[in-house]
Amino acid sequence: CVLAIVYDLYRRQRSSSDFDESLATKLDLAQDEPQDTVTPCFPSILLIGAQKCGTTAIANWMFHGGILRPLIVNNETQFKKEVHFFDHDDRYNEGPKFYAQRFHHSCQDHAEESMVEKSLAMDATPNTYMYPDRVHEVFQSTGEDQIINLKIMVVLRDPVLRELSYYNHMAYMVQHLDYSKLQQWHKKVLKKNSTAIMSFDEYVEQVAVPTLKRKKRKTSHGMYATHLSKWFQEFDRQQILVLSFQELQHNPKKLQQRIQEFLGYPITAEMHLQNSLEKRESHPSEFARAKLSEVFAPENEKLYQLLREHPGPSMEQTPFPRFEDNL
């Protein structure tokens, strides 16, 4: 308020020859500065993906065990687990404060002590996995504390089985949603000029493999080495815990132990692994696996090499299990 009054006086006297131009410059700059200096409060934990790799089961366990979930803002109930800030351009363009609104409940100001006490909160948007540069930019914008204290977790699954799970998800949506409510990506499983659903073999041959070969490293969730190498460039490797979907399935208590040790926080809730969606196809045929493996096998080898050359935090599973060991 005082600044505004002084600035107004300056404007009236600007034509005066004895007016202090250096002060004018300072006031011009001050007037342009944002008045809200409160540091945005971001989540302490990101469960970045990969998509269809068990992130929902892990997220629900953590939320029930005391980790704060995002706030629902503007009645956006569809974003109660996944904020979709980094992967939706329209939301990302709203800026860091838009993101921070979902997590301000995790920070408590102690003005008399000039400090902020922060509780553990998590964003569990699996598509975040595609945007390490955006994550780094946003967290870096608030200063060093939030970026160096960020914990990042990623779950990896046999990419062939991940592709099958993705197909089953789309097929389920097509079967249970009104056609007018289907999004374009749901319709990828539909036969040409038809509302009939392709078999997984048809989907692999007509959609998945051509898409993977055309777009390959840029967009596919199953190209793990390509995406993780970028995360390792943007963040300290010790901030990133790589988890195995195989362990989630076969030894979930061990995976839970790794996560709790990584976070330094006890989570006492029970984990429920059952996927409620009915599956159209449970196992890939030999044809589908062979077709997809032509693309994924070389990429898997790059992943194993990447993880050997860039070891993670001490509780991470080493060596990372080969996907074919689970067949």
Side-chain angles (χ1 to χ4, degrees), residues 29-48:
L29 293 174
Q31 189 73 4
D32 290 336
E33 289 178 1
Q35 298 303 305
D36 183 4
T37 59
V38 176
T39 301
C41 194
F42 297 145
S44 309
I45 309 163
L46 294 181
L47 180 54
I48 62 173

Side-chain angles (χ1 to χ4, degrees), residues 203-216 295:
Y203 171 77
V204 166
E205 186 170 34
Q206 298 176 32
V207 180
V209 169
T211 300
L212 287 166
K213 288 184 174 180
R214 183 172 64 250
K215 297 182 179 178
K216 213 170 184 180
V295 180

Side-chain angles (χ1 to χ4, degrees), residues 43-206:
S44 309
I45 309 163
L46 294 181
L47 180 54
I48 62 173
Q51 188 186 71
K52 311 310 296 180
C53 292
T55 57
T56 296
I58 293 174
N60 286 338
W61 165 64
M62 293 177 67
F63 289 143
H64 288 136
I67 304 299
L68 299 179
R69 66 170 66 242
L71 291 174
I72 296 173
V73 179
N74 297 327
N75 207 30
E76 295 177 338
T77 55
Q78 71 272 32
F79 297 114
K80 64 181 180 180
K81 166 185 169 269
E82 304 174 6
V83 178
H84 286 288
F85 173 72
F86 297 103
D87 61 311
H88 285 197
D89 288 346
D90 58 332
R91 294 171 70 77
Y92 182 73
N93 290 335
E94 294 284 346
K97 288 184 180 179
F98 176 87
Y99 187 52
Q101 285 179 344
R102 279 82 186 152
F103 300 99
H104 71 78
H105 61 311
S106 67
C107 292
Q108 293 183 345
D109 293 317
H110 294 273
E112 69 281 2
E113 302 174 23
S114 299
M115 63 174 288
V116 173
E117 180 181 343
K118 190 169 183 181
S119 301
L120 293 181
M122 180 172 69
D123 178 4
T125 307
N127 284 0
T128 300
Y129 162 78
M130 302 291 212
Y131 299 92
D133 52 340
R134 288 185 171 187
V135 174
H136 186 273
E137 179 183 10
V138 167
F139 276 79
Q140 184 70 53
S141 70
T142 64
E144 288 297 322
D145 286 351
Q146 296 209 56
I147 195 168
I148 65 174
N149 292 319
L150 177 64
K151 300 284 188 178
I152 301 165
M153 300 188 301
V154 59
V155 191
L156 305 182
R157 179 183 194 176
D158 178 347
V160 174
L161 297 181
R162 196 209 73 82
E163 203 69 40
L164 175 61
S165 180
Y166 183 52
Y167 160 85
N168 279 324
H169 182 83
M170 290 185 289
Y172 178 88
M173 291 300 192
V174 169
Q175 286 178 304
H176 292 85
L177 288 180
D178 184 272
Y179 188 84
S180 63
K181 295 182 179 180
L182 292 178
Q183 297 183 34
Q184 198 59 39
W185 64 274
H186 294 142
K187 299 177 184 178
K188 289 193 292 185
V189 295
L190 295 179
K191 295 182 179 182
K192 190 173 182 179
N193 300 322
S194 171
T195 57
I197 299 173
M198 299 178 183
S199 68
F200 185 57
D201 283 0
E202 291 172 325
Y203 171 77
V204 166
E205 186 170 34
Q206 298 176 32

